[in-house]
Amino acid sequence: MSFQIPRGTQDILPEQAAKWQYIEQIARELCRRYNYQEIRTPIFEHTELFLRGVGDTTDIVQKEMYTFEDRGKRSLTLRPEGTAAVVRAFVEKKMFGLANQPVKLFYMGPMFRYERPQAGRFRQFVQFGIEALGSNDPAIDAEVIALAMNLYKEMGLKKLKLIINSLGDKDSRNTHREALVNHFKPRITEFCHDCQNRLEKNPLRILDCKQDHEHELMKSAPAILEFLNDFSKTYFEKLQQYLRQLDIPFEVDANLVRGLDYYNHTAFEIMSNAEGFGAITTLCGGGRYNGLAEELGGPETPGIGFALSIERFIAALKAEEIELEINAGIDCYLAYLGEEAKDYTVGLLQQLRLAGFSAERDYLNRKIKAQFKAADRLNAKYVAVLGDEELKNNKINVKNMATGEQVEIELALFIKQFQALQE
Ligand code: HAM
């Protein structure tokens, strides 16, 4: 019997994994500079968290969750996204009481959605995300957007498009909601079953419907921007002012509603407009979610964040033909010639590794020529050759593979001299 990987998942083999690590490392470094600290939450949570947090009229909750009952008959769900869990932890661990506010967090890890797999859409994917909780200053909205943009730019991506929108505060949303209901109600029977359900519960979701997006009422639907009250309008203008100040080009798209229910005020997405990127062009999505902490039993706390998947990040790099400068290869390959030398390299190899070098040796009893070939395949910077003869004379031969230069080193001084060769 043979097994295949589940649909919508992928194995990240070592060569790919090096790319992942590289991106993750740059993301961590950016978080350090922007002062976001890592938080790690469980892979599964109580299902109720996502019903409340993400919203029970969203596609994620209605169609895409991996929900199961555990042996204690609790309903648990593999996390489809990170924000609900981070805010749950923020409330549960009373992080609102910390001295340093706002609380600025980042996370990186697998998320699960039962979606139809296609290019750029997986059932298990890795999100890198940040959340800033406790500030209502539009400057932090700009900071969150800037961090995402700078991460992409730092990796060399150029064909990016940032779109922003404002969903307004509660009051603005309520008046907009009413206008939407009035707009769709007379002809709601022409819409899909989901949209008919959404009409009363959450009419904003209708605008995000994949099935009915060609319907004429969609284009003429009242846009939220026309319903922003003064506070929401000023907030949105201030954000735009800061983005200009940071030299971040953007477009306002009144149709951007996002697929999760917790958003208000700022909503944004970063898309790739590289040729050949494929149908799904959104690289990153985020926005403000004032009220979510309250919804999850905490005090009123403003919050904003984004998430992006590493899978789409890598797809964008590929579409723009960007090769990452990944330092592959090992520092030293230890080749042997003769039985005694072979035994001796076991200890020598350990010395190299303890001194901080990446080092390898043959484990397949290969002839010296084949050992050199193996060293080549491993992209070794140096090959150190120890023969029985050298061992007797307390010497070892070190060859620089780039220049071809060779030096003979006293065996007792090998590690020290090898270190000196690097300078
Ligand atoms: P989201 O728009 O659902 O937002 O997902 C954010 C990003 O995750 C997307 O832009 C995309 O890069 C990636 N993504 C989503 N689904 C898939 C998939 N099936 N396969 C590959 N990549 C995918 C959120 O998840 C919010 N929690 C973002 C947020 C954080 N808002 C505020 N804070």
Side-chain angles (χ1 to χ4, degrees), residues 160-224:
L160 300 169
K161 187 165 99 177
L162 167 67
I163 57 173
I164 62 171
N165 190 17
S166 172
L167 303 175
D169 62 5
K170 230 190 206 152
D171 286 343
S172 315
R173 284 176 66 128
N174 281 343
T175 35
H176 179 232
R177 190 197 132 91
E178 226 170 282
L180 281 174
V181 173
N182 292 337
H183 178 76
F184 287 113
K185 203 170 190 170
R187 292 174 62 185
I188 193 66
T189 48
E190 296 167 27
F191 285 77
C192 71
H193 187 70
D194 282 347
C195 282
Q196 296 185 16
N197 278 335
R198 288 168 182 145
L199 183 70
E200 295 300 335
K201 276 195 184 160
N202 191 353
L204 198 66
R205 282 266 73 77
I206 298 179
L207 301 179
D208 211 23
C209 180
K210 288 173 190 111
Q211 216 172 313
D212 291 323
H213 69 276
E214 296 291 350
H215 195 288
E216 57 173 340
L217 282 192
M218 289 293 210
K219 285 178 200 88
S220 56
I224 176 75

Side-chain angles (χ1 to χ4, degrees), residues 386-402:
L386 185 70
D388 283 351
E389 217 26 56
E390 277 102 349
L391 187 57
K392 250 183 240 141
N393 300 328
N394 261 316
K395 300 274 187 221
I396 185 165
N397 213 295
V398 180
K399 182 174 179 186
N400 180 326
M401 298 303 279

Side-chain angles (χ1 to χ4, degrees), residues 78-124:
L78 299 184
R79 60 184 186 188
E81 61 102 52
T83 311
V86 169
V87 176
R88 194 247 331 118
F90 175 86
V91 171
E92 191 175 350
K93 299 291 156 15
K94 300 191 169 44
M95 294 167 88
F96 45 81
L98 293 176
N100 280 334
Q101 298 288 333
V103 175
K104 296 169 51 170
L105 304 166
F106 80 88
Y107 51 89
M108 227 180 284
M111 307 290 162
F112 306 85
R113 296 185 194 176
Y114 190 79
E115 294 195 88
R116 196 165 53 80
Q118 62 187 100
R121 181 175 283 156
F122 296 88
R123 289 185 172 167
Q124 173 174 333

Side-chain angles (χ1 to χ4, degrees), residues 355-413:
F357 295 108
S358 55
E360 188 56 289
R361 125 197 219 281
D362 167 71
Y363 289 107
L364 296 176
N365 255 327
R366 278 180 282 218
K367 299 240 158 55
I368 187 75
K369 211 170 153 196
Q371 291 184 47
F372 264 92
K373 268 197 186 144
D376 257 350
R377 275 193 299 268
L378 289 173
N379 228 336
K381 287 191 205 110
Y382 291 89
V383 178
V385 189
L386 185 70
D388 283 351
E389 217 26 56
E390 277 102 349
L391 187 57
K392 250 183 240 141
N393 300 328
N394 261 316
K395 300 274 187 221
I396 185 165
N397 213 295
V398 180
K399 182 174 179 186
N400 180 326
M401 298 303 279
T403 62
E405 243 174 280
Q406 294 196 42
V407 279
E408 204 175 49
I409 293 176
E410 207 155 319
L411 197 48
L413 299 176

Side-chain angles (χ1 to χ4, degrees), residues 60 80-83 107 113 115 120-123 125 127 130-131 258 260 262-263 269 282-287 289 304-309 311-312:
I60 293 183
E81 61 102 52
T83 311
Y107 51 89
R113 296 185 194 176
E115 294 195 88
R121 181 175 283 156
F122 296 88
R123 289 185 172 167
F125 55 98
Q127 273 189 348
I130 69 170
E131 312 292 350
R258 308 268 307 125
L260 305 96
Y262 44 62
Y263 292 115
E269 286 188 354
T282 305
L283 299 178
C284 168
Y289 46 83
I304 173 148
F306 73 73
L308 59 88
S309 71
E311 286 81 357
R312 290 193 196 167

